[in-house]
Amino acid sequence: MAGSSFGTIFKITTWGESHGPALGVVIDGCPAGLPLSESDIQKYLDRRKPGKSKIVTPRKEADQVEILSGVFEGLTTGTPISLMIRNTTQRSVDYSEIASYYRPGHADYTFDSKYGFRDYRGGGRSSGRETAGRVAAGAVAAKILKQLGIEVTAYTRSLGPVEADMTKFDKSAILETSTAMPDRQADELAVAYLEERIKALDSVGGIMECAVTGLPAGIGDPVFEKLDANLAKAIMSIGAVKAVEIGDGTAVSAANGSQNNDAFTVCDGKICKKTNHAGGILGGISDGSNLLIRAHVKPTPSIFQPQETVNKAGEPISVQIKGRHDPVIVPRAVVVMEAMIAITLLDAMMINMSARMDNLQDFYKKQ
Amino acid sequence: MAGSSFGTIFKITTWGESHGPALGVVIDGCPAGLPLSESDIQKYLDRRKPGKSKIVTPRKEADQVEILSGVFEGLTTGTPISLMIRNTTQRSVDYSEIASYYRPGHADYTFDSKYGFRDYRGGGRSSGRETAGRVAAGAVAAKILKQLGIEVTAYTRSLGPVEADMTKFDKSAILETSTAMPDRQADELAVAYLEERIKALDSVGGIMECAVTGLPAGIGDPVFEKLDANLAKAIMSIGAVKAVEIGDGTAVSAANGSQNNDAFTVCDGKICKKTNHAGGILGGISDGSNLLIRAHVKPTPSIFQPQETVNKAGEPISVQIKGRHDPVIVPRAVVVMEAMIAITLLDAMMINMSARMDNLQDFYKKQ
Amino acid sequence: MAGSSFGTIFKITTWGESHGPALGVVIDGCPAGLPLSESDIQKYLDRRKPGKSKIVTPRKEADQVEILSGVFEGLTTGTPISLMIRNTTQRSVDYSEIASYYRPGHADYTFDSKYGFRDYRGGGRSSGRETAGRVAAGAVAAKILKQLGIEVTAYTRSLGPVEADMTKFDKSAILETSTAMPDRQADELAVAYLEERIKALDSVGGIMECAVTGLPAGIGDPVFEKLDANLAKAIMSIGAVKAVEIGDGTAVSAANGSQNNDAFTVCDGKICKKTNHAGGILGGISDGSNLLIRAHVKPTPSIFQPQETVNKAGEPISVQIKGRHDPVIVPRAVVVMEAMIAITLLDAMMINMSARMDNLQDFYKKQ
Amino acid sequence: MAGSSFGTIFKITTWGESHGPALGVVIDGCPAGLPLSESDIQKYLDRRKPGKSKIVTPRKEADQVEILSGVFEGLTTGTPISLMIRNTTQRSVDYSEIASYYRPGHADYTFDSKYGFRDYRGGGRSSGRETAGRVAAGAVAAKILKQLGIEVTAYTRSLGPVEADMTKFDKSAILETSTAMPDRQADELAVAYLEERIKALDSVGGIMECAVTGLPAGIGDPVFEKLDANLAKAIMSIGAVKAVEIGDGTAVSAANGSQNNDAFTVCDGKICKKTNHAGGILGGISDGSNLLIRAHVKPTPSIFQPQETVNKAGEPISVQIKGRHDPVIVPRAVVVMEAMIAITLLDAMMINMSARMDNLQDFYKKQ
């Protein structure tokens, strides 16, 4: 199907394969009048760039974004914003062998099952490179949210057994460490763990987490378009994510109601909650507390150990994957999570504007 | 927004509040020619009926379904199937008090924030009763899937600290126990635990799980419409769910690639996987293995202990909720999970039919 | 497909067949806080009721609407409004014969081609009765528009060769004449013409037209969701409509630019147009002038003359249709046109609220 | 809103302004396995190129298409096909003046009303250049349809008072004449008429028409997604179209049922119709006859005569438009009509594949 679009009013459509001429995104429904330049977007794209340290792939991806439409004299016009990133370092030679077999943990077999064949170069459309379009669009959404007082901050919560200590939360560390952890000590331990796993020709999973501040109460819908339902879809649509949690997440299943309920109270003259087990969402609608979303990311499936698999002829074989691969996906996926959450929230906020008769009357009276 | 619809080709729209005259669902896009009667649907609805044991609310909900359209001479016609359930036991008197304050853990405050006011009777639209429409539609989807060789089976995996032993999996127990656990011994322990918590005026969370057999490889889409992304949305849209896992789920974050990758091999002459850490989905597309989905459900927010909250005037008060409430949501939500998964899979399978040129050519050549 | 829904934010889903137990509509996305009662809706439904004069079918259709959800204490709650109309006079016996052949000008053959069989009673889903749901939903949309200063008025422009004289426009005549013409003299001539055609066992086509006043400039979108494109779809989706015109419509093809361009000027200190050849829409967006939409409706296909056709076995036969049929569709379709236009405009107005950054900032600053 | 996408399964998203760096389209949901090269698309784009004769603008638009994704080793992969056309001859200098006022018949005023400002260069997003993306996507849809035995042929039916004589229909003339008329004699008369109007500094409207052969019966849906409703939207979304007709179109309003009904009969052992007043669609579903769609196109609003209008300050002024403009839109819009119809039909055919249970069972049994 037309599965490359996300959102209803603020709608993005990504396109492009790992090794095609280019990849990109079309943002449709962006409000008019937002100051926007390529550097706004480049900042976000640079956060998912590889090659910054030992623990990420030494592949070079320039990822230089070009705005092709939708911006005039420095402002968005309300018409589609087309963003393109040329693929500069296509080395298809690396991928010739994997055309013939199905890599464990990858989408090779499922793509062939669905489409009859696949663009096998670098994972084609299932490559993590597809997320460059999401990040570019997320940069726009995040800029708008910031103007509305909302901040979206994702980070690495854990890598393998090494967890960030949230009591030592250091926001600057997210952008400065190679793990994107908000705890420099955990970062060091994580890097050491990763180096050990790299030597063992293995890869590592981890947890990424995102906090949202400033979101007003009342955003989201009661039934299928619950804010948490759309966030879950947004996050689970990032390759390698196998679990999504909101607030206390998996812990709620072992809790009692007396522990899990958040008491309402009054803060600075406004209704607020004493605790935030709910992660900022009740009945699918934001409650004015911070959002808290967590995602569990599987270890990179490309490992350099020998693995059993089958070839296209259906014969069992043993393979050893070559090439350059991140030993862990999380640090570069953190900005993708941030992007998807920003897009989801902005769309919900735009939809929310017509929820009440008095809002419609106020809006159209002014005109 | 129009947040009460789910699905693209097989699309359902639920409507109705806990204490309105009726509630129901419109199923649009159901294929023509399916034998369908009210009893097909009633069987599913009866599984979410309360009143079967001590651990569920003693409220009586007859939930008698009526087919209002879309079936002619026992067969679906391809036009919308409208299903209605009259609300028979409306006792708004129970709810007069809660109109004035915000119950912790409920959607009272968020509904007021969004809409300016709310139908406070029994939770209104945020009531679990809304899921009756989902279950009715799910019964239709499940019947179609069965004709395609696909079976969807959800059950209670754990209640509080009591977990079903999956090595003793007993499918008949799901429908026969009051906990919907597939393990009669765990069921007994869980009931004992629940009775103890009920006495303590508290409530309990739990895990529900769903296995799908017979789904062919190739179902789902690569990017935003990943099968697991849509399943996550479907499940997270069930009230009280706070986490969704696919396959190994949260465990992947602590795993290494060498553990997490599923080796491909050959079974009965066909490609299959030696293990199923992936839970049957790779790159957003089904891989021919069983699907495995897990959901963590929070404890019922309606507890009978005194709780702190605020009233509509924004004043802190203490409240004690009255009425009849399930001490645990999971046993009755299991069939809702099954319904949402059946609907999601069927829609993906219908969309998948036009994925390849040769499929289009075969289809239209026959005509 | 799921072809029974219309709209993006204000979304309606109709269901029901001519001779099933009931038919209805679910309105999702209606703003909260609108005063709404069954009588608001009944007024509109009564306008499409048959049996008011010689020129409409003597069939009796009570069309009593019931609000099943979405309204609490007299106000819409923002959740789905389910409206149901029981079919009271089902006489399937009339339709037993037509099950065996394909009526010319009807959807019998195309339904069988698509679905393999059909509910042949009274046209089933292709019956004009389906529009009762549209009219019920349109009543809600029209009530909201009225509160925003917008009025939608449809009427019969011509029946066969008899055209209303628009210089004698008499709004009260629309509701009071059996033709729904805004010109009582034309109404008399049209009735005479119809009576003559009825005697000849024939039927009559006509033109319906709709004017919209009060719509602000800026509603609609530039490309595929042009306001006129969505209006065209809305109107062409009414059975029997074979042409849709905006403003000067078909006349533009013979015009020159110097005639067709509307000069901008200033009226009461605001920008306006000297003429309105464009019918109130430029580049897909409303320009602040009145909208003018016209639809050409084919003659009722059910005529009592002998007609050639084929039966289900594919054999040529001659048939003579029996039963009660309107000799002309237009007078009862006028309110359907009004409904579809109201729904289309309201949806576009709700979507429009997030078109600019300053609108978002104003809206969320207030909170 | 996100108004730049069209279609449900075969979905296109166009982007780009007249004078931005580039414009293009993303085609999502194209079936995998279609042979596709840039020359397949270029052929169509060349048909809307200006500069071929006296009656079209002397502007040069190279319109060289580049495939950026979705094709691998000459075949579509099932993932989004991104097509880009660089704008090579941007001369913004021509447009500096029109920034200050609202051109009659253009979208200048309505864009400003909606978005607060506009990209005024060459009409920005409301420029006819946006249709390059539609034509590129239509080339892909048309290629697929051809493989299914369906041919879509649009042509100029009339220009001003000069009408093509359809009894002399000459298909080759469509591509060879500068008017795209299927009648060389009418073409000569039309060119003479146009030259006369050009001298008078005026512009001309016209009718374009499209015939579709080979479409099987059963395509389309009964209610809002009627095939003719979607075609009407598709065609009315082309700038300058003010009326759309199906089959006999506007003529039906003056007809009687005995004239308008098409008798069914048998042709070559299959059910067919003796006449085709319906234009191939009954009840919103194709009936196996040829489709016939007609569109009325207004005269180019850019004329070189002095015109009255207002400037941005709201002051009445007189203006004289400069630059290079087609004196008539129709000949270059014919291929846009063909494109939009091909896209609409293909999408409906893909959706149709899951209309029946037996189709689902056949499809999934094979696997």
Side-chain angles (χ1 to χ4, degrees), chain A residues 1-6 8 12-14 102-107 109-116 125-126 130 134 158-161 193 197 202-207 217-226 228-230 232-233 236-266 271 274 277-279 281-283 285-288 296-303 305 307-312 314-316 340 348 351-352 355-356, chain B residues 1-6 8 12-14 102-107 109-116 125-126 130 134 158-161 193 197 202-207 217-226 228-230 232-233 236-266 271 274 277-279 281-283 285-288 296-303 305 307-312 314-316 340 351-352 355-356:
Chain A
M1 190 193 53
S4 296
S5 297
F6 187 83
T8 297
I12 71 165
T13 303
T14 72
Y102 299 124
R103 290 170 297 164
H106 277 283
Y109 174 64
T110 56
F111 265 62
D112 270 18
S113 297
K114 184 173 190 73
Y115 297 117
R125 182 71 178 151
S126 72
E130 178 270 332
R134 305 187 187 208
S158 74
L159 291 181
Y193 174 71
R197 288 292 84 201
D202 215 335
S203 65
V204 173
I207 300 175
I219 307 302
D221 275 289
V223 181
F224 297 113
E225 303 295 328
K226 283 188 167 83
D228 35 359
N230 278 325
K233 176 172 178 170
M236 197 68 99
S237 79
I238 303 171
V241 171
K242 300 302 283 185
V244 178
E245 304 181 72
I246 306 291
D248 280 7
T250 56
V252 302
S253 51
N256 289 146
S258 58
Q259 304 158 328
N260 188 253
N261 282 353
D262 298 311
F264 287 104
T265 183
V266 179
I271 293 173
K274 284 202 165 178
H277 299 292
I281 302 176
L282 284 170
I285 301 172
S286 64
D287 66 14
H296 295 257
V297 180
K298 73 178 187 182
T300 315
S302 290
I303 55 174
Q305 299 177 23
Q307 293 185 90
E308 288 176 70
T309 190
V310 298
N311 60 21
K312 288 188 80 169
E315 298 157 343
M340 290 306 297
I351 288 169
N352 181 57
R356 295 192 203 182
Chain B
M1 188 194 56
S4 296
S5 296
F6 187 83
T8 297
I12 71 166
T13 303
T14 72
Y102 299 123
R103 290 170 297 165
H106 276 283
Y109 174 64
T110 56
F111 265 63
D112 269 18
S113 297
K114 184 175 190 72
Y115 297 116
R125 182 70 178 150
S126 72
E130 177 271 331
R134 305 187 187 207
S158 74
L159 292 181
Y193 173 71
R197 289 292 83 201
D202 216 335
S203 64
V204 173
I207 299 174
I219 307 301
D221 275 289
V223 182
F224 298 113
E225 303 296 328
K226 282 189 168 84
D228 34 0
N230 279 325
K233 176 172 179 171
M236 197 68 100
S237 80
I238 303 171
V241 171
K242 301 300 283 186
V244 178
E245 305 181 72
I246 306 290
D248 280 7
T250 56
V252 301
S253 52
N256 290 145
S258 59
Q259 303 158 328
N260 188 253
N261 282 352
D262 298 311
F264 286 104
T265 183
V266 179
I271 293 173
K274 284 203 164 175
H277 299 290
I281 303 177
L282 284 169
I285 301 173
S286 64
D287 66 14
H296 295 255
V297 180
K298 73 177 187 183
T300 314
S302 290
I303 56 173
Q305 299 177 24
Q307 293 185 90
E308 290 177 69
T309 191
V310 297
N311 61 20
K312 287 186 79 168
E315 298 157 345
M340 289 306 296
I351 288 168
N352 180 59
R356 296 192 203 182

Side-chain angles (χ1 to χ4, degrees), chain B residues 17-56:
Chain B
E17 289 82 42
S18 174
H19 283 60
L23 45 79
V25 66
V26 180
I27 306 169
D28 202 10
C30 181
L34 177 77
L36 189 72
S37 68
E38 276 147 0
S39 70
D40 289 318
I41 298 160
Q42 198 61 50
K43 265 186 293 185
Y44 274 75
L45 283 172
D46 290 350
R47 287 175 58 193
R48 67 170 289 290
K49 248 192 206 164
K52 289 183 304 193
S53 80
K54 271 178 284 188
I55 65 149
V56 290

Side-chain angles (χ1 to χ4, degrees), chain C residues 126-138:
Chain C
S126 73
S127 165
R129 275 194 68 66
E130 178 270 332
T131 61
R134 306 187 186 206
V135 170

Side-chain angles (χ1 to χ4, degrees), chain C residues 95-271:
Chain C
Y95 297 99
S96 54
E97 192 189 313
I98 63 163
S100 66
Y101 64 81
Y102 299 124
R103 290 171 297 165
H106 278 282
D108 301 343
Y109 174 64
T110 56
F111 266 62
D112 270 18
S113 296
K114 184 173 191 72
Y115 298 116
F117 77 114
R118 71 185 189 280
D119 178 349
Y120 48 76
R121 301 166 303 167
R125 182 71 177 151
S126 73
S127 165
R129 275 194 68 66
E130 178 270 332
T131 61
R134 306 187 186 206
V135 170
V140 179
K143 187 166 188 187
I144 295 172
L145 290 180
K146 218 167 207 169
Q147 300 208 3
L148 304 175
I150 297 152
E151 207 138 342
V152 182
T153 309
Y155 45 84
T156 299
R157 181 68 193 264
S158 74
L159 291 181
V162 184
E163 194 177 349
D165 180 346
M166 297 303 285
T167 63
K168 299 183 185 157
F169 189 89
D170 172 2
K171 197 176 165 180
S172 66
I174 300 170
L175 296 184
E176 290 166 17
T177 63
S178 60
T179 58
M181 275 178 155
D183 167 359
R184 289 172 201 272
Q185 208 172 332
D187 169 67
E188 278 178 39
L189 292 170
V191 169
Y193 174 71
L194 281 161
E195 289 177 339
E196 182 251 318
R197 288 292 85 200
I198 292 169
K199 270 183 212 140
L201 306 181
D202 215 334
S203 64
V204 173
I207 300 175
M208 53 191 185
E209 198 169 82
C210 185
V212 181
T213 59
L215 188 72
I219 308 302
D221 275 289
V223 181
F224 298 114
E225 304 295 329
K226 284 189 167 83
L227 190 59
D228 35 358
N230 279 324
L231 288 168
K233 176 172 178 172
I235 300 310
M236 197 68 99
S237 79
I238 303 171
V241 171
K242 300 301 283 185
V244 178
E245 304 181 71
I246 306 291
D248 280 8
T250 56
V252 302
S253 50
N256 289 146
S258 59
Q259 303 157 328
N260 188 252
N261 282 352
D262 299 310
F264 286 105
T265 184
V266 179
C267 320
D268 301 327
K270 291 177 65 177
I271 293 173

Side-chain angles (χ1 to χ4, degrees), chain C residues 57-102:
Chain C
T57 170
R59 279 200 317 272
K60 270 204 183 149
E61 297 174 358
D63 280 6
Q64 203 67 40
V65 72
E66 189 182 353
I67 299 178
L68 296 176
S69 69
V71 177
F72 180 60
E73 298 183 341
L75 297 175
T76 58
T77 59
T79 61
I81 302 169
S82 179
L83 303 174
M84 180 176 66
I85 297 154
R86 287 275 178 194
N87 282 322
T88 48
T89 55
Q90 303 168 23
R91 297 203 302 175
S92 298
V93 65
D94 293 337
Y95 297 99
S96 54
E97 192 189 313
I98 63 163
S100 66
Y101 64 81
Y102 299 124

Side-chain angles (χ1 to χ4, degrees), chain B residues 305-350:
Chain B
Q305 299 177 24
Q307 293 185 90
E308 290 177 69
T309 191
V310 297
N311 61 20
K312 287 186 79 168
E315 298 157 345
I317 56 171
S318 175
V319 299
Q320 203 158 351
I321 288 170
K322 297 183 196 85
R324 301 155 302 176
H325 302 285
D326 291 310
V328 62
I329 291 161
V330 178
R332 295 180 62 201
V334 154
V335 68
V336 183
M337 185 187 203
E338 209 170 290
M340 289 306 296
I341 289 174
I343 291 162
T344 306
L345 295 181
L346 176 57
D347 193 38
M349 290 182 77
M350 291 171 82

Side-chain angles (χ1 to χ4, degrees), chain A residues 4 113 143 153 175-176 188 193 201 253 256 266-267 306 324 339 341 357:
Chain A
S4 296
S113 297
K143 186 165 189 188
T153 309
L175 296 184
E176 291 167 17
E188 277 179 38
Y193 174 71
L201 306 181
S253 51
N256 289 146
V266 179
C267 322
R324 300 154 303 174
I341 289 173
M357 266 314 289

Side-chain angles (χ1 to χ4, degrees), chain C residues 242-243, chain D residues 245-252 255 259-260 276-279 292 294:
Chain C
K242 300 301 283 185
Chain D
E245 306 181 71
I246 306 289
D248 280 8
T250 56
V252 302
Q259 303 158 329
N260 188 253
N276 190 15
H277 299 291
L292 197 74
R294 213 170 300 110

